[in-house]
Amino acid sequence: MTALHDVINPATELVEASVPSLSLEDTDAAIARARRAYATWRHVSPGDRARLLRRLSVLLDEHNEELAQLEVRNAGHTIGNARWEAGNIRDVFAYYSGAPERLLGQQIPVAGGVNITFHEPLGVVGVIVPWNFPMPILGWGIAPALAAGNTVVVKPAELTPLTAMRVGELALDAGFPEGVLQVLTGKGSVVGERFVTHPDVAKVVFTGSTEVGVHVAEGCARQVKPVTLELGGKSANVIFADSDLAKAAAAAPGGVFDNSGQDCCARSRILIERKVMDEFLELLEPAVMAVRVDNPNLTTTDMGPLISAGHLERVASFVDETTNVLMRGTVPDGPGYWYPPTVVLASSRADRLLHEEVFGPVVTVVPFDDEADAIALANATDFGLSGSIWTRDVGRALRVSRGIESGNLSVNSHSSVRYWTPFGGFKKSGLGRELGPNALEAFTEVKNVFISTDT
Ligand code: NAP
Ligand code: MG
């Protein structure tokens, strides 16, 4: 009998559901089904594959509210965020439904014949998803993989499998053949690990911690298996004295506390030009105190609970009596894994809060002296995922954007993820890019064919 695993609602601490924890044998059987399904799926015409992706997008739209509510119960996301997330996976499917008929090769001039390239699917793709954005990250992996003609096995995080399971059901309702998309619930060390070691899984897409990502990459290297990694971050929110300080201060809490700071793109370091630091902190305080931490079902709530008791303990361990806490919000009473929005001043540039990913609502402020210092400080991290630059000087905005070693930057805003633009990290934040017009390349191999025209 398959073991079961309880899924907990992080806002109530009550059991929301019990889901199967699949074994190695279950995983191998699913990979074998995916392999069999690939033999026919890869030959489904581009137009028919596109139609299935579009149908799933329509179903995801029809079930937007149901999926959003499910995510609120499973992950404690605010209802507003959860609706956006369900909309994101819908849009990602709609976007990549345009891809099958546009997977163009090249015709390259050669003597004595014709040379053409094909973008061949890889086979079975394994997608490993973390708990922080269960629906979007699911979609970023599976939609382009399916569009390119691969079959997919997905492992959601043990803590947050419910929306992925529902998306898997909707895919069958949309008409995807059995075995083309399978959602396998269970432990990373069992199911996820098997995607890495199984020779019939042709590629792994992993999003999660740098530690597990390195382990996944090592395993893939042994089989020369391609891998995409989306890992951690310690992104800088760089605020220059010449910026609209009021606007920068008003936006800073959203840039780090959204999703309770459980965001790989969280701007968890505020780099502020020294001469305006006091003025900025005065403007920041009311914005931080206005962040409403409450029942995630309320549309007035800005921030819900953390994902689990274990994660709450980890986040809390970063702030102790030696930490210089500048501002701290409040949390509701009663059950739930709550942690308040917290702003701290770095004790020095070596402070662990400037280097380790908290993955919670804690932001660390550090002053800088000039533009060169700002760039150096922004780059004084192993990570390079995201970041923001606030300035009214266009030249400076571009110089600093080019100077920061990071995959996704925004100027005078905190936006960094759009499904139609590339997303991914420099340095230890990852390997490869997801989303955008070129994502299919990561799910295909280029084949070059020369045809002789000699008589
Ligand atoms: P995690 O512990 O690395 O887990 C991520 C996924 O990997 C989960 O599904 C997990 O399964 C699975 N896993 C665990 N051990 C594995 C193994 N040995 N082999 C294969 N898979 C394994 O990370 P997390 O705690 O869930 O998520 C937080 C981290 O993700 C943060 O560091 C954050 O920055 C990063 N993240 C990055 C991005 C990005 O796009 N760059 C996006 C979101 C999150 P179980 O947990 O179910 O066992
Ligand atoms: Mg983990």
Side-chain angles (χ1 to χ4, degrees), residues 129 131-132 155 158 188 193 207-209 230-232 264 357 359:
V129 181
W131 48 258
N132 66 327
K155 198 209 86 68
E158 222 184 356
E193 186 87 33
T207 303
S209 60
E230 298 287 3
L231 309 176
C264 46
E357 186 179 48
F359 223 53

Side-chain angles (χ1 to χ4, degrees), residues 213-276:
V214 167
H215 173 76
V216 164
E218 280 172 354
C220 287
R222 257 174 244 127
Q223 299 186 34
V224 198
K225 183 182 289 193
V227 60
T228 297
L229 300 174
E230 298 287 3
L231 309 176
K234 194 76 214 181
S235 297
N237 179 8
V238 186
I239 301 164
F240 287 94
D242 69 9
S243 69
D244 182 338
L245 268 193
K247 200 171 162 195
V256 61
F257 299 143
D258 190 62
N259 204 32
S260 307
Q262 303 167 124
D263 182 342
C264 46
C265 290
R267 275 66 168 175
S268 57
R269 294 183 294 152
I270 292 178
L271 278 50
I272 177 78
E273 192 162 347
R274 197 182 301 275
K275 63 186 174 199
V276 292

Side-chain angles (χ1 to χ4, degrees), residues 62-418:
E62 287 169 8
H63 292 263
N64 180 284
E65 187 60 24
E66 175 202 336
L67 287 163
Q69 300 272 357
L70 192 57
E71 202 66 280
V72 174
R73 295 200 299 277
N74 189 166
H77 291 191
T78 63
I79 183 65
N81 278 14
R83 285 176 182 143
W84 182 88
E85 291 159 21
N88 182 261
I89 188 169
R90 168 202 63 207
D91 292 344
V92 168
F93 268 95
Y95 181 73
Y96 287 111
S97 74
E101 309 100 318
R102 293 173 179 81
L103 194 51
L104 306 179
Q106 290 176 304
Q107 178 273 116
I108 300 168
V110 287
V114 174
N115 193 96
I116 50 177
T117 62
F118 296 92
H119 292 269
E120 302 283 19
L122 302 169
V124 180
V125 171
V127 179
I128 301 171
V129 181
W131 48 258
N132 66 327
F133 287 112
M135 276 189 282
I137 294 171
L138 174 76
W140 306 353
I142 67 180
L146 292 169
N150 303 280
T151 57
V152 178
V153 284
V154 186
K155 198 209 86 68
E158 222 184 356
L159 293 168
T160 56
L162 299 186
T163 48
M165 293 169 77
R166 190 69 189 112
V167 170
E169 290 170 1
L170 292 173
L172 291 175
D173 293 347
F176 278 85
E178 294 276 346
V180 169
L181 171 65
Q182 298 175 82
V183 178
L184 310 182
T185 53
K187 287 190 190 309
S189 54
V190 178
V191 181
E193 186 87 33
R194 193 62 183 137
F195 294 177
V196 176
T197 59
H198 199 301
D200 279 346
V201 176
K203 171 174 181 139
V204 174
V205 178
F206 173 85
T207 303
S209 60
T210 297
E211 189 193 353
V212 178
V214 167
H215 173 76
V216 164
E218 280 172 354
C220 287
R222 257 174 244 127
Q223 299 186 34
V224 198
K225 183 182 289 193
V227 60
T228 297
L229 300 174
E230 298 287 3
L231 309 176
K234 194 76 214 181
S235 297
N237 179 8
V238 186
I239 301 164
F240 287 94
D242 69 9
S243 69
D244 182 338
L245 268 193
K247 200 171 162 195
V256 61
F257 299 143
D258 190 62
N259 204 32
S260 307
Q262 303 167 124
D263 182 342
C264 46
C265 290
R267 275 66 168 175
S268 57
R269 294 183 294 152
I270 292 178
L271 278 50
I272 177 78
E273 192 162 347
R274 197 182 301 275
K275 63 186 174 199
V276 292
M277 180 151 118
D278 292 343
E279 187 187 345
F280 174 77
L281 290 177
E282 264 173 48
L283 292 164
L284 181 65
E285 177 137 29
V288 170
M289 300 319 280
V291 173
R292 200 155 155 190
V293 186
D294 206 344
N295 178 347
N297 292 293
L298 303 172
T299 52
T300 48
T301 295
D302 298 310
M303 217 182 93
L306 294 175
I307 189 68
S308 66
H311 190 56
L312 172 58
E313 196 181 322
R314 187 178 168 275
V315 168
S317 75
F318 279 92
V319 181
D320 62 22
E321 57 291 341
T322 67
T323 314
N324 188 349
V325 175
L326 298 173
M327 299 160 209
R328 173 159 261 190
T330 56
V331 297
D333 294 328
Y337 310 123
W338 307 98
Y339 195 83
T342 303
V343 180
V344 311
L345 186 64
S347 57
S348 75
R349 290 189 175 193
D351 194 326
R352 69 185 283 234
L353 279 164
L354 289 176
H355 297 275
E356 294 174 37
E357 186 179 48
V358 178
F359 223 53
V362 179
V363 65
T364 307
V365 178
V366 58
F368 65 84
D369 295 311
D370 56 24
E371 189 178 306
D373 191 34
I375 294 172
L377 194 49
N379 288 336
T381 168
D382 287 343
F383 296 112
L385 189 57
S386 190
S388 302
I389 299 139
W390 294 79
T391 176
R392 286 190 170 102
D393 179 335
V394 176
R396 164 173 279 166
L398 283 170
R399 283 192 305 274
V400 178
S401 296
R402 299 298 299 270
I404 295 181
E405 299 152 347
S406 174
N408 314 274
L409 293 162
S410 49
V411 174
N412 296 329
S413 83
H414 292 305
S415 81
S416 55
V417 181
R418 290 187 175 81

